[in-house]
Amino acid sequence: MTPSASDTAGHLVGEPVTSVSQWLDRYAAALIHVFGVPQTVLDHGQGCEVVDVDGKRYLDLLGGIAVNTLGHGHPALVEAITAQATRLVHVSNFFTSGPQVQLAEALLRIADAPTGSGVFFGNSGTEAIEAAIKLARRTGRGTIIAAENAFHGRTTGALALTWKPAYREPFEPLIGRVLHVPFNDESALRAAVAQVGDDLAAVVLEPILGEGGVVPSTAAYLRLARELASAAGALLILDEIQTGMGRTGSWFAFQSRGVVPDAITLAKGLAGGVPIGALVTFGPETTGLLAAGQHGSTFGGNPLACAAGLAVIDTIEIQGLLAHAATMGEHLAAAVLGLGHPQVAAVRGEGLLRAIVLTEPIAPAVMARARDAGFIVNAVAPDALRLAPPLIITATQLEQFAAALPGLIEGGGSP
Ligand SMILES: *Cc1c(COP(=O)(O)O)cnc(C)c1O
């Protein structure tokens, strides 16, 4: 396509324009309604800004839920995807490709994984968890301990580890022998591990509950989980699908807690928006649990997704985005708390995974007003707004949002 004149929404001049409301009507008639009605219909984006089909601009403070690590249209990501698409998009797992091997090596390096560690690639977070569940089953034991308020995905294995009854119960029976314990509660974890005894295959935890409201684990809790799992001969599997890839200011949240897991799961931000998932196993013993023929995926590890993943890792390193995520996260928390607003109770989280906690359950209304005002955020709980912006977000952009926040909370004249 040759470049042509376009209006503010990027429509080619003279092209028939379909409005947000027209698309939403067609969406309602054509899609299965598992997500409710989408908030708008996005058309394009650049950096931390996205534009809907009506030409309305938004500051994207959610980044596709911690997925658009480099924002929208980052030249390094566009170039990597474009270049790889001209070479090979898919090869099957009868073959490998340079990007697949390079991305596995890069993940082992940034995860500080010891010699003999390994990577399995899938296409989503829930698939990474499925691989982790199969890894745990290969210990020969059957029970998994997970946390209350945890989210690990929607396929039927991962769903058994996910806490929210409304997600889980319509699909029961799921895989059995999953025990949920209150998060960050050391004595409850001790008691559960003792109760399960010899049947404990794995303890599976998010270092920060993501969907559960952006609740960080304490370092002491993760260290205890490490100790108890080791003593029981079980695996410690950390779900870094939302917290990984620099989001918290370190590559992975386990690194800031001084804990070495047996495995981590990755997805969301790993390839900057191209679908991908990964299980990283630490050390030869754990890595050896999955033998030839015991797991697989048609699309997993395809060169397109892996080239995108490499571009994400390279760009985070070249642009110093780990330190930037940490600094911007502090900046956001300071700007929001500095408002001294009576309805802001706290700011939770680390780096650029944050929740603004409100004193009342008005987060859905604040989210709607934010959207009308041109800010994308997420009401992760009735009283909490989640922000997980691209790691390239600037101080000025965060300040714009903080300045608007009192009006968004108070509502004024808008609904
Ligand atoms: C999003 C998420 C998942 C599921 O990932 P999908 O790609 O939606 O399957 C699992 N665990 C955590 C911690 C997540 O945030």
Side-chain angles (χ1 to χ4, degrees), residues 113-202:
T115 308
S117 299
V119 180
F120 172 82
F121 288 115
N123 311 287
S124 65
T126 203
E127 281 176 78
I129 294 287
E130 295 296 328
I133 293 171
K134 288 178 74 174
L135 181 81
R137 284 284 169 95
R138 290 286 300 132
T139 61
R141 290 133 166 254
T143 300
I144 294 176
I145 292 176
E148 293 180 5
N149 296 307
F151 183 85
H152 297 295
R154 303 286 205 149
T155 54
T156 52
L159 189 56
L161 305 188
T162 288
W163 164 250
K164 200 172 173 182
Y167 291 172
R168 212 167 6 97
E169 285 172 355
F171 305 99
E172 289 177 345
L174 300 168
I175 61 162
R177 294 197 274 177
V178 176
L179 207 64
H180 285 99
V181 295
F183 190 63
N184 268 343
D185 181 333
E186 297 182 22
S187 54
L189 185 61
R190 272 183 208 285
V193 170
Q195 180 195 329
V196 174
D198 278 354
D199 194 49
L200 185 64

Side-chain angles (χ1 to χ4, degrees), residues 82-339:
T82 313
Q84 186 57 46
T86 66
R87 301 177 72 84
L88 288 168
V89 171
H90 175 83
V91 297
S92 93
N93 286 300
F94 295 126
F95 305 95
T96 187
S97 63
Q100 183 184 68
V101 175
Q102 288 173 286
L103 183 60
E105 289 171 349
L107 286 174
L108 295 176
R109 173 174 62 82
I110 64 178
D112 306 314
T115 308
S117 299
V119 180
F120 172 82
F121 288 115
N123 311 287
S124 65
T126 203
E127 281 176 78
I129 294 287
E130 295 296 328
I133 293 171
K134 288 178 74 174
L135 181 81
R137 284 284 169 95
R138 290 286 300 132
T139 61
R141 290 133 166 254
T143 300
I144 294 176
I145 292 176
E148 293 180 5
N149 296 307
F151 183 85
H152 297 295
R154 303 286 205 149
T155 54
T156 52
L159 189 56
L161 305 188
T162 288
W163 164 250
K164 200 172 173 182
Y167 291 172
R168 212 167 6 97
E169 285 172 355
F171 305 99
E172 289 177 345
L174 300 168
I175 61 162
R177 294 197 274 177
V178 176
L179 207 64
H180 285 99
V181 295
F183 190 63
N184 268 343
D185 181 333
E186 297 182 22
S187 54
L189 185 61
R190 272 183 208 285
V193 170
Q195 180 195 329
V196 174
D198 278 354
D199 194 49
L200 185 64
V203 176
V204 180
L205 292 170
E206 291 164 87
I208 300 176
L209 295 178
E211 302 301 308
V214 189
V215 181
S217 64
T218 63
Y221 184 69
L222 279 202
R223 285 193 206 125
L224 178 69
R226 172 69 285 172
E227 268 170 45
L228 293 174
S230 296
L235 303 176
L236 175 64
I237 298 171
L238 296 180
D239 181 348
E240 295 252 14
I241 288 168
Q242 191 158 158
T243 51
M245 304 314 295
R247 178 131 308 267
T248 65
S250 39
W251 280 114
F252 305 104
F254 76 80
Q255 291 165 324
S256 65
R257 287 167 169 76
V259 167
V260 179
D262 297 302
I264 57 174
T265 51
L266 304 176
K268 290 201 165 77
L270 172 49
V274 178
I276 192 168
L279 172 72
V280 181
T281 52
F282 286 60
E285 202 182 327
T286 305
T287 303
L289 287 173
L290 285 171
Q294 290 181 335
H295 201 41
S297 162
T298 294
F299 293 122
N302 71 77
L304 187 77
C306 291
L310 280 169
V312 167
I313 293 175
D314 280 353
T315 306
I316 288 174
E317 290 182 327
I318 292 165
Q319 290 190 216
L321 293 180
L322 297 183
H324 184 72
T327 312
M328 288 301 105
E330 293 305 320
H331 194 75
L332 171 69
V336 169
L337 294 172
L339 297 167

Side-chain angles (χ1 to χ4, degrees), residues 338-402:
L339 297 167
H341 196 280
Q343 281 167 283
V344 174
V347 176
R348 282 197 298 254
E350 293 168 22
L352 286 172
L353 180 57
R354 295 281 175 168
I356 298 170
V357 185
L358 304 170
T359 54
E360 291 173 78
I362 55 168
V366 178
M367 174 179 79
R369 286 193 285 264
R371 182 195 57 222
D372 292 347
F375 297 102
I376 296 179
V377 296
N378 163 244
V380 70
D383 67 345
L385 293 170
R386 173 173 48 179
L387 275 63
L391 304 188
I392 58 168
I393 193 103
T394 65
T396 308
Q397 288 169 322
L398 294 172
E399 284 158 17
Q400 274 168 16
F401 173 71

